Amino acid sequence: MSCLISRICRMAMAPCPRVLVSLTASSSSRTRTYSSSPIASSVEACHQSRITSVQLKEKELSVHWNNTSTVDLPYVFLRDNCQEPESFDQVARQRLFNPAFTVDLNIRATGAEVNEEGRQLTITWPDGHRSRYKSSWLRQYCTGNTAMSGRLPVETFYWGSDYYEKLPRFDFEELLKDDKCLLEYLLKLESHGLVLVENVGTQSQQVKRLCDHIYYPKPCIYGIDVMKVESKLDASHIAYTGVELPLHNDFVYCDYTCGIQMLHFIHHVPGSTAGASRFCDGFNVAEALRKTNLSAFDMLSQYPIQFVDAGTDTVGDYDTESWHHTISVSSSGEITEVNYSNHSRGPHFPAILMDKLHEWYAAYYEFSHLMNSPEYLIEFKVEAGQMVVFNNRRVLHGRSGFKLQGNDYRYAELCYMDWDEIRSKARVLMKKY
Ligand code: OGA
Ligand code: ZN
């Protein structure tokens, strides 16, 4: 574990282009990389980057690097990103001016020189202002970012049906006591999307303790902080009955689907399979669909569909509706979200989809069968005293059905958190270590 942390921390401190995910498919050795360079080599490249020379052009500065590459940077970009104290508050880490009002769009540097053996560039501007840039800073930002997301700098680990043996496990008290362990946990949530917390005990409110230790739980239409998952009469949600709960993501019927779900089992029904939890790596399944049936993938990623949920819970009556793409893809082609909940899917479809509905259903059928296939699905009984924590925008979850007899009962407590807080805490801890 400490190995991963030190590698991540080197990455976090290293001024290098942000490298996104080399993806391992179905927890096998199949690896796909979106960026041109793997993480380790780009960290190395950034450390060694030196500017060999620069050339003043009409609208941009040509920067020549010691790896023989050249990058042309518009003057307006360089002036906009001046790091001097008049331009940028180094403590608040915020820009102090808006170039739209103070910098001529066609500004041109009057001079540029390379200092400190290629480790620094100094630019002089027409008003006499001088901007100094570290070569590592320039290297980090000069080639743009292919990921364009705020995710943590860890490789995405894609998993399939053999994941249970590999499931990252964390000790509850250690998470509360040891920030290095907490960082490892937060990073694993990003990379793997599903982890198990053990030795939680069977007291109530433990899940809130973990949220509060990070920041706070997310309130939602089901409750302010801790939700109770138990069977009840007149249940407003099938989760609160004993029926089989098919694979789904929570909150697809809200615009802001929650990021993380933490489910702590306090009491379980007897038997090894009754009420057992099911999970599937939605990113892995979506990638598989993209590979085997691109037109089905396009159907599910190009049209948003309707989700609805209405009922009554501890906060009162609710009635929600939202529209999401079943598979969300970023402009760089990365799968960013899976939004799937058959039981909450509404009857309305986008008007422009109405003449392609049959194709849409075909794609939906294929995706649904794939995620439930033995290659991608894992099922295990989360024991009382354990907590499963997962990325609700990636991992589909469900459970097998169960029947209560005699004094049997099944009781779990549930909290949600958002990715903003998870990632914020991880970045704070990465700086600390
Ligand atoms: C839910 C849910 C899982 C379970 O409440 O949304 O998915 O195991 N519950 O009961
Ligand atoms: Zn659920």
Side-chain angles (χ1 to χ4, degrees):
M1 274 189 186
S2 56
C3 241
L4 174 64
I5 289 185
S6 58
R7 204 177 104 218
I8 298 302
C9 292
R10 267 191 281 119
M11 285 164 57
M13 288 183 296
C16 65
R18 202 182 140 83
V19 178
L20 190 77
V21 296
S22 79
L23 305 167
T24 306
S26 99
S27 48
S28 70
S29 56
R30 189 156 57 93
T31 299
R32 212 189 63 246
T33 309
Y34 280 109
S35 67
S36 55
S37 48
I39 291 169
S41 63
S42 70
V43 170
E44 193 68 14
C46 289
H47 277 304
Q48 290 170 1
S49 290
R50 301 279 181 278
I51 302 166
T52 52
S53 62
V54 290
Q55 191 189 349
L56 291 158
K57 290 188 170 172
E58 181 66 25
K59 287 195 173 144
E60 61 224 356
L61 185 76
S62 265
V63 180
H64 304 283
W65 296 95
N66 60 341
N67 65 359
T68 72
S69 66
T70 297
V71 178
D72 289 340
L73 296 171
Y75 294 122
V76 67
F77 162 81
L78 288 164
R79 183 62 189 86
D80 179 36
N81 286 291
C82 173
Q83 299 294 296
E84 301 299 327
E86 308 90 302
S87 309
F88 193 80
D89 186 322
Q90 290 290 348
V91 178
R93 306 216 53 76
Q94 288 180 320
R95 187 179 285 107
L96 293 170
F97 69 106
N98 184 340
F101 302 114
T102 53
V103 176
D104 181 350
L105 183 62
N106 299 310
I107 190 171
R108 190 175 172 182
T110 53
E113 61 183 67
V114 182
N115 333 106
E116 297 184 9
E117 297 173 333
R119 287 190 191 84
Q120 185 178 279
L121 168 70
T122 305
I123 297 181
T124 313
W125 301 105
D127 62 358
H129 180 75
R130 278 152 65 92
S131 307
R132 288 161 300 166
Y133 308 85
K134 288 196 170 106
S135 62
S136 53
W137 187 95
L138 276 178
R139 185 74 194 162
Q140 184 173 2
Y141 298 109
C142 72
T143 51
N145 183 316
T146 51
M148 295 177 292
S149 81
R151 73 189 297 284
L152 298 169
V154 282
E155 290 181 19
T156 300
F157 180 84
Y158 276 28
W159 47 266
S161 57
D162 59 350
Y163 186 54
Y164 181 68
E165 294 81 54
K166 299 171 181 167
L167 198 58
R169 290 163 184 259
F170 294 89
D171 180 80
F172 182 69
E173 291 300 332
E174 220 179 311
L175 286 176
L176 298 178
K177 272 191 238 127
D178 180 355
D179 275 354
K180 279 191 183 159
C181 181
L182 184 66
L183 174 57
E184 184 69 30
Y185 160 85
L186 300 171
L187 293 169
K188 277 287 193 300
L189 273 176
E190 181 80 87
S191 59
H192 290 54
L194 169 66
V195 306
L196 188 70
V197 181
E198 298 182 294
N199 306 316
V200 188
T202 51
Q203 309 91 299
S204 187
Q205 300 281 317
Q206 293 290 75
V207 62
K208 185 171 180 307
R209 268 181 81 200
L210 186 52
C211 294
D212 287 345
H213 183 66
I214 299 170
Y215 287 119
Y216 36 77
K218 179 187 169 76
C220 67
I221 47 166
Y222 304 132
I224 298 301
D225 43 37
V226 179
M227 266 57 72
K228 296 174 177 178
V229 181
E230 61 190 335
S231 302
K232 51 189 170 196
L233 291 175
D234 300 329
S236 61
H237 198 294
I238 58 171
Y240 304 146
T241 71
V243 303
E244 175 189 348
L245 201 50
L247 289 176
H248 65 283
N249 307 102
D250 284 4
F251 290 105
V252 286
Y253 30 81
C254 294
D255 285 359
Y256 201 85
T257 51
C258 84
I260 292 288
Q261 181 169 160
M262 312 160 87
L263 187 61
H264 171 212
F265 280 83
I266 291 182
H267 198 278
H268 224 314
V269 280
S272 59
T273 55
S277 299
R278 292 176 181 159
F279 300 97
C280 158
D281 181 353
F283 286 4
N284 200 14
V285 177
E287 283 297 355
L289 186 68
R290 173 149 64 180
K291 213 168 161 204
T292 53
N293 190 343
L294 188 58
S295 52
F297 180 89
D298 287 345
M299 267 289 150
L300 299 182
S301 58
Q302 282 172 9
Y303 299 98
I305 58 158
Q306 186 197 36
F307 296 98
V308 289
D309 191 23
T312 306
D313 214 315
T314 53
V315 293
D317 295 345
Y318 59 84
D319 190 344
T320 62
E321 170 176 346
S322 189
W323 292 65
H324 293 281
H325 296 95
T326 308
I327 302 169
S328 297
V329 181
S330 74
S331 54
S332 58
E334 189 200 355
I335 293 165
T336 53
E337 274 176 31
V338 170
N339 295 293
Y340 184 97
S341 180
N342 189 62
H343 47 271
S344 307
R345 188 161 49 80
H348 242 141
F349 280 97
I352 49 164
L353 189 57
M354 291 315 283
D355 61 350
K356 300 187 198 76
L357 265 192
H358 202 271
E359 284 154 82
W360 184 89
Y361 273 101
Y364 185 72
Y365 278 27
E366 187 164 344
F367 192 47
S368 305
H369 283 279
L370 207 55
M371 70 176 66
N372 283 287
S373 71
E375 197 182 339
Y376 295 105
L377 189 68
I378 63 170
E379 175 175 317
F380 60 96
K381 194 138 178 182
V382 185
E383 287 161 26
Q386 292 183 326
M387 186 193 296
V388 269
V389 185
F390 53 93
N391 180 350
N392 181 59
R393 294 176 171 189
R394 167 180 171 182
V395 174
L396 296 125
H397 66 284
R399 59 141 205 257
S400 64
F402 59 90
K403 281 201 177 77
L404 298 179
Q405 284 168 350
N407 292 330
D408 292 350
Y409 69 99
R410 185 181 187 268
Y411 178 62
E413 290 185 345
L414 173 61
C415 277
Y416 299 101
M417 284 191 73
D418 280 328
W419 270 107
D420 290 329
E421 284 78 25
I422 296 288
R423 290 180 177 138
S424 163
K425 188 60 147 197
R427 288 193 197 95
V428 169
L429 294 177
M430 282 193 285
K431 277 192 208 127
K432 190 167 158 191
Y433 296 111

